[in-house]
Amino acid sequence: MLLWQAVDARADPLEDCEQAQHVARRIHGCTYRIHQFPRDATAFFNRGSAHLSKGELDRAIADYTGVIQIDPAYSPAYYRRGIAYESRKQFDQALADFSKAVEIHPRHGGAFDARARTYLKINQHKPALRDAERAVSIDPFDAGFLDTRAQVYEALGRTQEAITDYRRALSSNPSMKSGIDGLGRL
């Protein structure tokens, strides 16, 4: 018997939901856990995250909705569901979920950043800038947050500020393609 088969033979589906490295095992483990404990918000969240990583957006949205039905104050579920909606180009739903995430957790930099990127996609530059600035104020060294703000500055024609943020983002992550591309455009 191969080592991975021996490990699988002893694997506990309840543990797989939280610890499995393989997405299919994680989904299976979480499904098992949900059947055993139908009000386990963490199991729904973990399964939703596994579905999201596979690009199974409808399933991810359903699982994050399950989390929210169990625990309406679970901010990460709104954030992740917003990511799924944004991926489906359902921008109004994405914005509503990102807004709920920051309402519950006002220092959720990722939710401010995601909302800024969504506003940018629908050409609402003022709210995009407000959220991008808020995300950077929460974590001034996050390359992704700086990159988003640089993109907003670029869209607003604030070239020097965009260049500064692209450079700051690239100093943290020199291989960031969007930063390299942004500097190339400017």
Side-chain angles (χ1 to χ4, degrees), residues 11 16 28 35 43 47 51 53 56 64 93 95-96 102 112 122 136 146 152 160 175 185:
D16 280 349
H28 174 75
H35 287 302
R47 189 172 72 179
H51 285 305
S53 74
E56 297 173 345
Y64 294 133
Q93 293 93 328
L95 289 170
V102 298
F112 279 107
I122 59 173
V136 171
L146 289 164
V152 175
Q160 196 54 50
S175 63
R185 283 189 304 275

Side-chain angles (χ1 to χ4, degrees), residues 96-130:
D97 276 354
F98 296 141
S99 295
K100 187 65 175 179
V102 298
E103 175 188 320
I104 294 167
H105 188 312
R107 296 205 38 88
H108 192 308
F112 279 107
D113 183 68
R115 192 168 70 178
R117 285 184 281 111
T118 303
Y119 278 130
L120 190 57
K121 286 180 180 176
I122 59 173
N123 295 314
Q124 291 189 19
H125 298 131
K126 286 184 181 181
L129 180 59
R130 180 194 64 229

Side-chain angles (χ1 to χ4, degrees), residues 2-19:
L2 298 172
L3 178 60
W4 66 270
Q5 288 173 321
V7 171
D8 276 354
R10 292 177 294 183
D12 178 353
L14 296 176
E15 290 178 10
D16 280 349
C17 181
E18 293 181 11
Q19 299 172 9

Side-chain angles (χ1 to χ4, degrees), residues 150 154 158-163 166 181-186:
E154 186 177 350
R158 294 167 63 174
T159 304
Q160 196 54 50
E161 291 161 301
I163 289 170
Y166 281 132
D181 291 347
L183 279 180
R185 283 189 304 275
L186 301 175

Side-chain angles (χ1 to χ4, degrees), residues 20-92:
Q21 297 301 313
H22 300 295
V23 176
R25 275 184 53 192
R26 181 172 287 238
I27 290 170
H28 174 75
C30 290
T31 300
Y32 179 82
R33 189 172 184 155
I34 290 165
H35 287 302
Q36 297 295 314
F37 307 100
R39 305 258 329 137
D40 185 340
T42 302
F44 278 101
F45 184 81
N46 289 341
R47 189 172 72 179
S49 297
H51 285 305
L52 186 60
S53 74
K54 288 180 70 176
E56 297 173 345
L57 302 176
D58 291 337
R59 289 179 175 184
I61 289 167
D63 280 341
Y64 294 133
T65 300
V67 173
I68 293 163
Q69 289 171 342
I70 295 165
D71 183 358
Y74 201 100
S75 173
Y78 290 99
Y79 168 69
R80 292 288 185 97
R81 189 173 72 176
I83 296 291
Y85 279 133
E86 191 271 335
S87 296
R88 288 174 56 176
K89 299 186 181 343
Q90 293 179 281
F91 299 125
D92 289 341

